[in-house]
């Protein structure tokens, strides 16, 4: 036994020891947060047990080399300690909370086959493993017993020692550059009163049974000494430790990297607003699917014709497709289905997600208001339609299994509604990004939450009001907005559609300020409502809307789909005289300062030039009139974008605006292809703003200034190479 690392944890006395167990839960449930070579972990079962005592008749012989290599030997389970075991669903934030269930009927002495947990009862597997292991501890492995019961404690505790047990599978990240490694299973033993958690790797013996691999057993401890807390990592057999660089890293990594993270997590007084990543699907199956899809569709990065970043969008859609494929695969297994689910992607954008899902055998189509150039590359098997979606009676999809909203903007809150009204069997998947309500931008109502968390709660509320059981998960994609909401089942029977749709209508109208409330669960539908059982879903929909539906078939007036032509909103479309007016106004504000910059020009003449002062963007905005600010607000970035576009005059750094000093620009090291060099095609093609407007003129002599000092120096702009090559 050896200690490979120890770190002191500074705590005010309110976070430990609870914070330590919260940190252990992260390493137990989400090891990939610390070890980037892992894809995740699957918790198969939890339980509780009693640590056995050493036999009183003799201390028991020390484990020999053969026993140490092969682990605790199997044996009968007479006097087996009590077990309380149950399957674990892998939910995030579970920490140590678990339900105590009666002893399972499985035989603890029965050896565990390697594939048993996959096809059998994982709780029974854990019971059998612990029965096997605990018997060997009691019979003749005092070193391991001491290691588990708190090393150095000195004596066997008198009271029975209760432990928390976890059976987990650690899943390595799959990559074509690395050899394929199989997932490894571990039995984790948590001793809460003594502040230890031990990780016992499991391996297959010659008979095909699982047993503890003593070589790679390690333990994390929390200790308190003289009002100070310490976290340490110990290895049971350091001389036999085998590192594979992935699941079992080197001891130095455990003692430094992992220990440092555990110490930091232990005193972080915050809880995540979101669920654990990939909490609703099999991480192992997802990792396999993602690796296969990434390899299959990686060529899309090379032929990407859009102006967006190809790597981000391609690999993000590959990850979303992998998630949906595994979600649907597991749904087919749960429902006993064989046919692959159909789908419609509303607001499909570049259409790559639709292309991947269709190529993998799922019938579906994508709809977007604007056609993309990349659509032409997919081929006829990928059905993409250019059309505007306006929520109403004409935009229902009764024969579709799933509706998808992947960054669907103004359609996001409507997708649960459309799914609910399309058919009772229609489900939805949404990945919210931009914040929209039913008819316009989403307005915050709770200051105690982040805007993102509040918007996710709003979409969840929409799904609940539509009668869905709404689940939340966190995707593994290169985006800050990676939380998805899924509606797979309903909270009401199909016979209650009329009553439920009335609740939907009331809720939608309430978002416009009309008084309406969504009951928690609500009363059961009355007999007249149930009488609609014989009607089809669409007839029930029309009956529920009744006279309240607009004559046009739209569900709510005021909804406006985005324009077919994407508007340019980077201030480039503003009138030139308006831009010049704002530039002059801001420059006058900055030049009104009293500070002066003194320097010499490259002609050797000493001169004084007013470089003005710096002001924050907020200070500048306060000096502009309301009409100007409203006009700028309609552009992306507003005032800051306009000032950044006026690169010749201003420099915007860290939220502060400065007059640009071109002496510093010329002093900076230039590249051979510097755009402002005399050989540049843009040299002297624009009038120097400082020569025309600055009270001291330009700080540079004419020969050094990249802009024209007067009309006589002005050169006509050259035609770009692309335009010259165009037919």
């Amino acid at each position: 036994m050896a200690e490979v690392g120890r770190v002191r944890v500074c705590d005010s006395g309110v976070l430990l020891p609870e914070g330590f167990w919260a940190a252990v839960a992260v390493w137990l449930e989400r090891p990939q947060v610390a070890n980037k070579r892992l894809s995740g972990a699957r918790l198969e079962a939890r339980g509780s047990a009693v640590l056995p005592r050493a036999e009183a008749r003799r201390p028991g012989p020390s484990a020999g080399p053969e026993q140490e290599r092969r682990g605790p030997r199997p044996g009968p389970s007479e006097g087996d300690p009590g077990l309380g075991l149950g399957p674990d669903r892998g939910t995030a934030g579970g920490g140590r909370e678990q339900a105590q269930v009666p002893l399972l009927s499985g035989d603890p002495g029965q050896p565990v086959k390697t594939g048993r947990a996959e096809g059998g009862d994982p709780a029974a597997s854990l019971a059998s493993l612990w029965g096997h292991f605990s018997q060997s501890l009691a019979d003749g492995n005092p070193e391991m017993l001491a290691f588990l019961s708190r090393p150095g404690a000195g004596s066997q505790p008198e009271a029975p020692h209760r432990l928390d047990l976890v059976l987990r599978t650690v899943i390595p990240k799959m990559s074509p550059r690395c050899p394929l490694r199989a997932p490894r299973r571990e039995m984790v033993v948590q001793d809460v009163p003594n502040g230890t958690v031990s990780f016992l790797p499991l391996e297959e013996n010659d008979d095909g049974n699982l047993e503890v691999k003593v070589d790679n057993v390690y333990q994390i401890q929390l200790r308190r000494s003289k009002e100070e807390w310490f976290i340490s990592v110990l290895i049971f057999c350091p001389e036999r430790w085998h590192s594979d660089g992935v699941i079992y890293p080197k001891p130095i990594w455990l003692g430094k990297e992992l220990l440092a993270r555990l110490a930091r997590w232990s005193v972080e007084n915050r809880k995540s607003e979101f669920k654990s990543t990939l909490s609703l699907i099999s991480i192992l199956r997802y990792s396999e699917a993602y690796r296969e899809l990434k390899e299959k569709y990686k060529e899309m990065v090379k032929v990407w014709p859009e102006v967006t970043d190809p790597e981000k969008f391609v690999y993000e859609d590959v990850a979303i497709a992998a998630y949906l494929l595994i979600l649907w695969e597991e749904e087919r297994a749960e429902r006993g289905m064989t046919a692959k689910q159909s789908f419609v992607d509303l607001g499909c954008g570049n259409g790559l997600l639709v292309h991947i899902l269709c190529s993998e055998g799922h019938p579906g189509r994508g709809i977007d208001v604007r056609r993309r150039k990349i659509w032409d590359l997919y081929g006829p098997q990928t059905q993409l339609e250019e059309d505007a979606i306006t929520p109403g009676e004409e935009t229902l999809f009764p024969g579709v299994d799933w509706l998808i909203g992947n960054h669907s903007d103004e359609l996001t809150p409507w997708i649960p509604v459309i799914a609910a009204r399309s058919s009772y069997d229609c489900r939805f998947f949404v990945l919210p990004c931009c914040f929209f309500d039913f008819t316009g931008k989403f307005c915050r109502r709770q200051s105690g939450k982040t805007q993102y968390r509040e918007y996710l709660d709003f979409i969840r509320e929409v799904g609940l009001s539509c009668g869905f059981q709404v689940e939340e998960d966190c995707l593994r994609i290169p985006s800050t907005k990676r939380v998805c909401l899924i509606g797979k089942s309903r909270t009401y029977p199909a016979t209650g559609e009329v009553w439920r749709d009335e609740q939907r209508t009331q809720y939608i109208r309430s978002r416009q300020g009309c008084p309406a409330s969504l009951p928690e669960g609500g009363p059961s539908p009355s007999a007249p409502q149930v009488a609609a059982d014989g009607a089809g879903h669409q007839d029930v929909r029309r009956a529920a809307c009744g006279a309240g539906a607009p004559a046009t078939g739209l569900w709510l007036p005021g909804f406006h789909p985005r324009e077919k032509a994407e508007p340019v909103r980077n201030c480039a479309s503003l009138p030139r005289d308006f831009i010049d007016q704002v530039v002059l106004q801001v420059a006058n504000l900055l030049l009104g300062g009293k500070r002066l910059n003194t320097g010499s020009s490259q002609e050797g003449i000493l001169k004084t030039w007013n470089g003005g002062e710096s002001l924050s963007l907020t200070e500048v905005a306060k000096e502009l009139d309301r009409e100007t600010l409203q006009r700028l607000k309609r552009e992306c970035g507003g005032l800051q974008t306009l000032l950044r576009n006026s690169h010749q005059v201003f420099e915007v750094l860290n939220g502060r605006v400065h007059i640009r000093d071109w002496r510093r620009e010329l002093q900076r090291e230039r590249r051979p292809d510097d755009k402002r060099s005399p050989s540049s095609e843009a040299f002297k093609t624009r009038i120097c703003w400082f020569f025309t407007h600055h009270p001291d003129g330009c700080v540079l002599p004419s020969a050094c200034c990249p802009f024209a000092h007067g009309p006589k120096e002005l050169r006509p702009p050259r035609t770009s190479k692309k335009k010259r090559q165009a037919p």
Side-chain angles (χ1 to χ4, degrees):
M1 180 178 65
E3 184 178 84
V4 297
R6 174 190 289 250
V7 62
R8 184 169 65 90
V9 182
C10 298
D11 178 44
S12 58
V14 297
L15 298 177
L16 294 176
E18 290 79 7
F20 169 74
W21 291 108
V24 168
V26 175
W27 177 239
L28 183 68
E29 300 170 5
R30 294 180 288 157
Q32 74 277 9
V33 176
N35 186 350
K36 301 302 181 183
R37 296 180 179 180
L38 297 179
S39 183
R42 179 177 68 246
L43 304 190
E44 298 179 2
R46 288 185 185 267
S48 60
V50 178
L51 189 69
R53 299 192 200 183
E55 291 186 1
R57 61 180 181 270
R58 56 183 174 85
S62 300
E66 179 65 18
Q67 182 177 343
E68 288 188 8
R69 183 184 67 81
R70 294 179 57 83
R73 65 181 183 274
S77 56
E78 296 177 3
D80 180 61
L83 287 168
L85 298 165
D88 190 283
R89 301 304 178 191
T91 56
R96 299 187 53 257
E97 297 179 3
Q98 60 189 43
Q100 298 297 326
V101 297
L103 174 66
L104 295 173
S105 58
D107 180 10
Q110 180 67 30
V112 180
K113 297 294 183 181
T114 56
R116 181 169 178 176
E118 295 294 336
D121 186 356
S125 296
L126 181 56
S128 180
L129 283 166
W130 179 254
H132 232 103
F133 181 63
S134 62
Q135 186 66 47
S136 70
L137 293 177
D139 286 348
N141 199 344
E143 294 87 352
M144 178 63 74
L145 184 59
F147 185 78
L148 295 177
S149 61
R150 186 171 183 174
S155 62
Q156 187 73 18
E158 294 296 330
H161 210 86
R162 298 295 298 183
L163 304 172
D164 296 328
L165 306 179
V166 178
L167 181 64
R168 76 166 181 168
T169 299
V170 183
I171 304 169
K173 185 175 291 185
M174 298 182 181
S175 170
R177 295 187 298 272
C178 301
L180 184 63
R181 291 181 173 88
R184 300 299 297 268
R185 298 171 69 192
E186 293 179 334
M187 182 166 58
V188 184
V189 181
Q190 299 183 90
D191 185 348
V192 177
N194 283 335
T196 66
V197 54
S198 304
F199 294 82
L200 312 177
L202 304 174
E203 69 174 356
E204 182 181 354
N205 62 17
D206 296 337
D207 298 326
N209 301 322
L210 285 178
E211 59 184 14
V212 173
K213 180 183 179 182
V214 179
D215 296 5
N216 283 14
V217 172
Y218 69 97
Q219 184 181 87
I220 303 170
Q221 295 182 353
L222 176 67
R223 293 286 180 264
R224 190 172 187 178
S225 175
K226 297 179 180 179
E227 304 303 322
E228 289 186 325
W229 292 93
F230 295 89
I231 300 178
S232 55
V233 176
L234 297 93
I235 293 179
F236 182 63
C237 292
E239 68 278 4
R240 297 179 181 272
W241 182 272
H242 171 70
S243 174
D244 62 4
V246 180
I247 296 179
Y248 302 120
K250 295 181 179 180
I252 191 173
W253 186 91
L254 293 173
K256 288 187 176 181
E257 298 293 332
L258 177 60
L259 197 55
R261 289 175 181 267
L262 290 171
R264 186 176 73 249
W265 296 338
S266 296
V267 293
E268 285 182 346
N269 190 17
R270 63 179 183 179
K271 294 184 178 180
S272 175
E273 295 181 300
F274 312 109
K275 293 194 67 176
S276 176
T277 304
L278 308 178
S279 63
L280 299 181
I281 62 172
S282 167
I283 298 178
L284 178 59
R285 288 288 300 116
Y286 169 84
S287 301
E288 294 172 348
Y290 177 74
R291 180 178 60 86
E292 294 171 0
L293 294 179
K294 186 177 180 181
E295 183 68 19
K296 187 174 182 179
Y297 298 99
K298 64 181 181 180
E299 297 300 321
M300 294 298 302
V301 175
K302 300 179 181 179
V303 298
W304 192 258
E306 306 292 337
V307 296
T308 51
D309 180 10
E311 289 199 358
K312 177 188 184 302
F313 283 88
V314 170
Y315 295 136
E316 180 173 323
D317 283 352
V318 165
I320 297 171
Y323 184 92
L324 286 172
L325 290 174
I326 301 305
L327 181 73
W328 293 346
E329 177 185 288
E330 294 179 352
E331 182 188 54
R332 292 196 300 274
E334 292 171 2
R335 297 190 173 198
M337 300 166 51
T338 55
K340 291 190 174 182
Q341 295 90 332
S342 61
F343 71 93
V344 173
D345 187 350
L346 300 178
C348 63
N350 57 56
L352 180 57
L353 178 60
V354 178
H355 174 64
I356 296 175
L357 295 177
C358 289
S359 300
E360 299 304 313
H362 285 270
R365 57 191 171 116
I367 305 175
D368 199 277
V369 70
R370 183 167 54 87
R371 184 181 182 84
R372 308 300 201 274
K373 290 181 286 186
I374 196 172
W375 287 12
D376 297 328
L377 302 181
Y378 294 140
Q381 78 280 1
T382 303
Q383 186 178 353
L384 299 170
E385 303 174 10
E386 184 180 11
D387 196 8
I389 298 293
T390 301
E393 297 299 319
E394 301 301 321
T395 54
L396 295 175
F397 305 92
V400 173
D401 295 319
W402 282 82
L403 295 187
I404 298 174
N406 175 21
H407 294 185
S408 47
D409 294 346
E410 73 277 1
L411 286 174
T412 299
W414 284 105
I415 287 178
V417 182
I418 298 174
R421 289 176 169 175
S422 291
S423 72
Y424 184 77
D425 292 325
C426 188
R427 288 87 78 191
F428 75 86
F429 168 94
V430 291
L431 182 62
C433 180
C434 300
F435 307 140
F436 283 89
D437 209 315
F438 289 113
T439 56
K441 289 288 186 179
F442 174 77
C443 297
R444 298 190 62 183
R445 301 182 181 183
Q446 302 180 40
S447 59
K449 298 180 181 179
T450 63
Q451 186 179 22
Y452 184 42
R453 180 68 264 174
E454 185 178 355
Y455 188 69
L456 290 171
D457 290 344
F458 162 59
I459 300 300
R460 179 184 182 87
E461 185 179 85
V462 173
L464 292 173
S465 72
C466 290
F468 284 100
Q469 294 277 7
V470 182
E471 297 178 283
E472 180 178 308
D473 205 355
C474 196
L475 304 187
R476 193 171 289 172
I477 58 176
S479 173
T480 57
K481 306 291 194 306
R482 57 195 189 99
V483 177
C484 67
L485 296 167
I486 301 170
K488 292 174 59 178
S489 59
R490 304 294 177 96
T491 60
Y492 64 97
T495 54
E497 181 59 34
V498 172
W499 169 81
R500 174 53 66 180
D501 202 66
E502 290 175 355
Q503 307 301 310
R504 295 184 198 122
T505 303
Q506 290 180 27
Y507 177 78
I508 294 171
R509 290 174 179 173
S510 73
R511 297 298 299 183
Q512 288 190 314
C514 301
S517 61
L518 176 65
E520 292 291 339
S524 301
S526 61
Q529 293 165 344
V530 176
D533 185 24
H537 193 87
Q538 300 303 317
D539 296 333
V540 172
R541 262 285 313 122
R542 297 186 182 94
C545 292
T552 58
L554 303 181
W555 292 335
L556 194 66
F559 175 85
H560 298 287
R562 74 184 79 171
E563 298 294 332
K564 182 175 181 179
E566 191 172 18
V568 178
R569 299 178 57 209
N570 61 354
C571 296
S573 61
L574 292 172
R576 186 73 247 177
D577 57 347
F578 174 78
I579 296 176
D580 293 341
Q581 176 188 348
V582 175
V583 169
L584 283 173
Q585 190 173 354
V586 175
N588 287 333
L589 287 174
L590 299 176
L591 294 173
K594 303 300 182 184
R595 291 181 295 172
L596 299 177
N597 290 338
T598 302
S600 60
S601 68
Q602 293 194 9
E603 293 179 339
I605 303 174
L606 186 68
K607 63 180 295 187
T608 299
W609 187 77
N610 182 4
E613 60 180 337
S614 71
L615 295 174
S616 68
L617 288 166
T618 302
E619 292 171 327
V620 173
K622 288 180 180 179
E623 300 298 327
L624 301 179
D625 60 83
R626 183 180 181 85
E627 182 180 351
T628 299
L629 290 175
Q630 289 294 330
R631 197 168 185 180
L632 290 172
K633 191 175 181 180
R634 291 192 289 267
E635 301 293 317
C636 292
L639 175 63
Q640 181 173 211
T641 298
L642 187 144
L643 298 179
R644 287 186 182 276
N645 289 350
S646 303
H647 174 270
Q648 183 189 162
V649 185
F650 302 112
E651 187 175 20
V652 183
L653 294 173
N654 301 321
R656 300 192 68 84
V657 187
H658 312 255
I659 292 288
R660 187 174 294 277
D661 189 339
W662 281 91
R663 290 172 296 186
R664 291 197 299 268
E665 296 293 319
L666 293 182
Q667 289 170 0
R668 295 172 183 168
E669 184 179 358
R670 294 180 178 176
R671 299 189 303 271
D673 59 342
D674 193 333
K675 292 183 179 180
R676 291 185 293 276
S677 63
S679 60
S680 172
E681 294 181 354
F683 187 71
K684 299 292 185 181
T685 58
R686 296 171 59 192
I687 291 291
C688 176
W689 183 92
F690 295 97
F691 179 81
T692 306
H693 298 288
H694 196 283
D696 296 332
C698 181
V699 71
L700 297 176
S702 174
C704 299
C705 182
F707 302 97
H709 285 197
K712 293 183 180 180
E713 295 186 3
L714 198 62
R715 299 168 55 216
R718 295 185 181 182
T719 306
S720 66
K721 292 182 180 180
K722 288 185 178 180
K723 290 184 178 180
R724 288 200 303 266
Q725 293 174 357

